[in-house]
Amino acid sequence: MTNAELLAEKKARLAKVIALEKPDRTPVILMEDSFCAVHMGVKLSDFCSSLKRENEVMVSSVKAMGPGVDGITAPYGAGNLFPLIFATKVKLPGKELPDNTLWQLDEREIMTVDDYDTIIDKGWGAFQRQYLIEKINYPFDSMMEQLGHGQEFINNFEEAGYLVYSPVVAATVNEQFGGGRSLPKFMRDLFKIPDKVEAALDVIQAETVAVLRQQIRAFKPQVVFLSPARGASAFFSPKLWERFVWKYLKATAEVIIEEGAAADLHIDGDWTRDLEYFKELPKGKCIFETDGTTDIYKIKEVLGDHMAIKGDVSPVLTSLGTPDEVYAYASKIVRDIGPNLILSSGCSLPPNAKVENVKAMISAVTGR
Amino acid sequence: MPAKNNVEVLCVNNLLAHAMVRLDEDSVHYLFKQGIEQGIDSLTLLEEARAGVQKVSELYNCGKYFLGDLIVAAELFQDIACMALETTMAPTTSGLPPIIFGTVEEDIHDIGKNITIGILKSKGFEVDDLGVDVPPLAFVDAVRQTGSSVICLSGLITTAYDSMKKTVSLLDREGLRPGVAVVIGGLVSEEVRRYTGADYWVKDCTTGCQLCDAILHSGPVKKAVHL
Ligand code: B12
């Protein structure tokens, strides 16, 4: 089989799972970035030096795992892009941190309450660029230039026969304030000035969704990753959750689906209370990507005939466990979750995951 | 200063605790200032705020309140504690050595740490918060300087387990290990506890606070047990 044929087979397999049809086998998608650097013996400082470097290293790492892997979540790492999602400074290895230390979000209150008004009056785009450059020293223009090479980064995987699961990445808009104001201050704002926060979020949402539509039209992705990173039900009362998380999560997922892609809902933390809400989204168009905190069996029970499920081999297992333990868990969910499953780690593979454990996870679908 | 009026004192006190439970920032601040103006001792007001946090934790434990509510309660309590400190020189804590608390090296997750610290403080414990990405040596230095017998390590990423392990080893090498109970929390388990060499692991702040209380008051009698 040529790489092009292999890629077509993998895309078709994924499409079947998302549409809730029966695939020939469970697809396995690796969600990883820092792990690839460690796997390839590349220092994290070198890895993070550019999106191009991240892409090169990630392509080599996926190839080294063998053709059984269907694809990778994103074409480059997350560390450099965090400020765009969380409005927070990120400390990078080789810059603010030692060469082989994982990047760190340096969350503190940088946005002010007055910034809500500025955003409402002047719009998000102009504010965001100036904020990132002036307040957190983010190399905004260089990053935009690098992101402009997105298609090349995707091609590097596809030419090798691996799909890029989600070439377009989005986060729900509340994260901009959860990070920029800092989570404690943002939470206080939700009690003290909820109307103002909502008005500012509506402005960000309108602009973000317009950009997202353009990106989807440009890249024509099969799937778009959408992270409501700190939107877990465990954080909010039902009233606040509905108003400040679900409203934006649902609206953004609907736009993704309207533009012809499937929405990968990246669900970290405990969302058990609100699983029923996800039935409001169209059937066969979403993937519930669990990090393992929301129990995968519970997700199947509530949403199993509504959307595909991605997950959820735990980072504790891939880093501290043995290949046999990983294989046993992965095989168990492949069997129990059935044709709805996209096998993956629960959120990212940790940098200290053992290579033989990742191989054991893959072999649960490709055979040992 | 206006004369103390017991009826008003009662009113302000009750209202302050209630405002804490409603997580109503403006009222909490207003009522504290009002109380001080009425001549109520700031420590009495602080006690009221504590009672409010206590109620919020109870509501959280029975599923009626959520993590965000705990975060806000801890923040508001912190405000009141600062305001109280400005108006009094009296000690606000139990007199026991502080609990040393930090998110371990390489890890920056601090939401759980901050909630737990907020609740510990509201229970009258003194806590030395070392922040995030705390190297092993900083924990050791803090134990040495304060004579503390409890150190709390928070960690949610897998690389944090190695940092916890290094911290425990360094305490050992420096001869401090026998006098110190090491509690780990966050994304931890019995397996992680064994790997790191810590004494206790907890997955929630309520158990964590009870554990610290038990250790400080009766010593680390039940080592290697998860409460
Ligand atoms: C919020 C969050 C973030 C925020 C953190 C903001 C902040 N200031 O803390 C942001 C977005 C910045 C973030 C960043 C990252 N995160 Co994160 N994050 C989470 C998330 C969604 C929730 C964590 C949380 O706050 N929970 C709520 C709190 C209240 O719970 P808690 O911490 O357990 O605390 C409770 C108890 O444990 C206790 N407690 C906590 N500590 C202690 C300590 C003691 C001694 C005691 C007594 C009690 C106690 O008190 C709390 C109340 O009961 C989790 C998902 C999850 N499943 O946990 C991922 C998660 C922790 N993150 C993860 C990852 C991988 C990352 C990143 C590396 C992402 C990346 N690819 O770059 C970076 C971290 C960079 C770094 N160097 O640390 C992984 C970790 C996986 C692993 N084990 O390695 C998780 C588990 C997601 C996943 N499944 O993959 N993250």
Side-chain angles (χ1 to χ4, degrees), chain A residues 157-232:
Chain A
F157 281 102
E158 293 197 338
E159 281 160 14
Y162 299 94
L163 61 81
V164 175
Y165 175 72
S166 169
V168 175
V169 172
T172 52
V173 291
N174 52 305
E175 295 308 323
Q176 299 284 3
F177 294 150
R181 291 276 299 130
S182 82
L183 193 70
K185 297 289 175 282
F186 176 60
M187 286 289 179
R188 285 173 84 152
D189 294 345
L190 296 186
F191 285 91
K192 205 178 164 191
I193 44 168
D195 296 342
K196 185 177 283 197
V197 177
E198 189 176 28
L201 284 175
D202 287 346
V203 171
I204 306 184
Q205 173 73 2
E207 289 187 40
T208 308
V209 156
V211 173
L212 185 59
R213 280 190 198 276
Q214 287 170 9
Q215 287 177 328
I216 299 177
R217 286 172 198 174
F219 289 102
K220 307 206 169 19
Q222 206 172 356
V223 177
V224 173
F225 173 96
L226 174 59
S227 170
R230 284 189 282 186

Side-chain angles (χ1 to χ4, degrees), chain A residues 168-347:
Chain A
V168 175
V169 172
T172 52
V173 291
N174 52 305
E175 295 308 323
Q176 299 284 3
F177 294 150
R181 291 276 299 130
S182 82
L183 193 70
K185 297 289 175 282
F186 176 60
M187 286 289 179
R188 285 173 84 152
D189 294 345
L190 296 186
F191 285 91
K192 205 178 164 191
I193 44 168
D195 296 342
K196 185 177 283 197
V197 177
E198 189 176 28
L201 284 175
D202 287 346
V203 171
I204 306 184
Q205 173 73 2
E207 289 187 40
T208 308
V209 156
V211 173
L212 185 59
R213 280 190 198 276
Q214 287 170 9
Q215 287 177 328
I216 299 177
R217 286 172 198 174
F219 289 102
K220 307 206 169 19
Q222 206 172 356
V223 177
V224 173
F225 173 96
L226 174 59
S227 170
R230 284 189 282 186
S233 320
F235 278 107
F236 300 91
S237 65
K239 242 168 94 182
L240 286 182
W241 184 83
E242 238 185 66
R243 185 172 177 194
F244 292 101
V245 179
W246 180 245
K247 172 180 156 183
Y248 300 106
L249 177 58
K250 181 174 181 229
T252 314
E254 283 170 351
V255 165
I256 293 169
I257 294 163
E258 213 177 283
E259 291 294 331
D264 177 90
L265 312 168
H266 179 76
I267 303 297
D268 273 352
D270 188 356
W271 292 61
T272 318
R273 183 191 73 204
D274 296 309
L275 286 178
E276 288 286 338
Y277 279 83
F278 289 82
K279 288 185 179 162
E280 291 174 22
L281 294 168
K283 188 172 170 173
K285 300 281 184 200
C286 297
I287 304 103
F288 194 105
E289 181 173 277
T290 173
D291 73 352
T293 313
T294 312
D295 179 53
I296 198 163
Y297 288 85
K298 182 76 189 163
I299 300 165
K300 180 178 161 68
E301 182 193 315
V302 181
L303 296 168
D305 49 13
H306 203 78
M307 58 181 68
I309 301 170
K310 182 168 180 279
D312 73 346
V313 181
S314 120
V316 179
L317 205 51
T318 49
S319 60
L320 293 185
T322 63
D324 284 343
E325 286 165 347
V326 173
Y327 181 80
Y329 180 78
S331 305
K332 180 166 149 347
I333 56 172
V334 165
R335 191 180 58 237
D336 296 346
I337 307 300
N340 278 11
L341 181 74
I342 298 167
L343 181 64
S344 192
S345 52
C347 200

Side-chain angles (χ1 to χ4, degrees), chain B residues 5-56:
Chain B
N5 170 330
N6 281 335
V7 179
E8 279 178 33
V9 170
L10 253 181
C11 283
V12 169
N13 278 356
N14 267 333
L15 288 173
L16 181 59
H18 279 114
M20 283 294 289
V21 177
R22 287 199 317 277
L23 304 169
D24 179 347
E25 179 176 331
D26 289 341
S27 301
V28 166
H29 286 192
Y30 173 79
L31 287 165
F32 180 83
K33 286 182 194 138
Q34 190 76 4
I36 295 292
E37 267 173 30
Q38 286 177 7
I40 305 172
D41 178 33
S42 61
L43 293 183
T44 311
L45 292 166
L46 193 62
E47 274 313 311
E48 276 302 313
R50 255 178 211 159
V53 179
Q54 180 59 33
K55 182 75 192 159
V56 170

Side-chain angles (χ1 to χ4, degrees), chain B residues 174-219:
Chain B
E174 298 294 314
L176 296 167
R177 187 71 183 88
V180 178
V182 180
V183 184
I184 59 170
L187 219 67
V188 295
S189 60
E190 174 55 21
E191 196 183 1
V192 175
R193 187 202 64 75
R194 248 184 284 126
Y195 178 76
T196 57
D199 299 308
Y200 306 91
W201 65 280
V202 291
K203 283 204 69 98
D204 71 275
C205 48
T206 314
T207 320
C209 293
Q210 285 166 357
L211 180 63
C212 289
D213 195 356
I215 300 170
L216 279 170
H217 286 104
S218 43

Side-chain angles (χ1 to χ4, degrees), chain A residues 82 103 291 293 347, chain B residues 106 108-110 112 116 154 156 158 202 205:
Chain A
F82 277 141
W103 49 83
D291 73 352
T293 313
C347 200
Chain B
E106 299 213 10
I108 51 92
H109 292 88
D110 65 356
T116 311
S154 184
L156 276 81
T158 51
V202 291
C205 48

Side-chain angles (χ1 to χ4, degrees), chain A residues 75-86:
Chain A
Y76 31 69
N80 278 300
L81 303 176
F82 277 141
L84 292 171
I85 297 170
F86 294 111

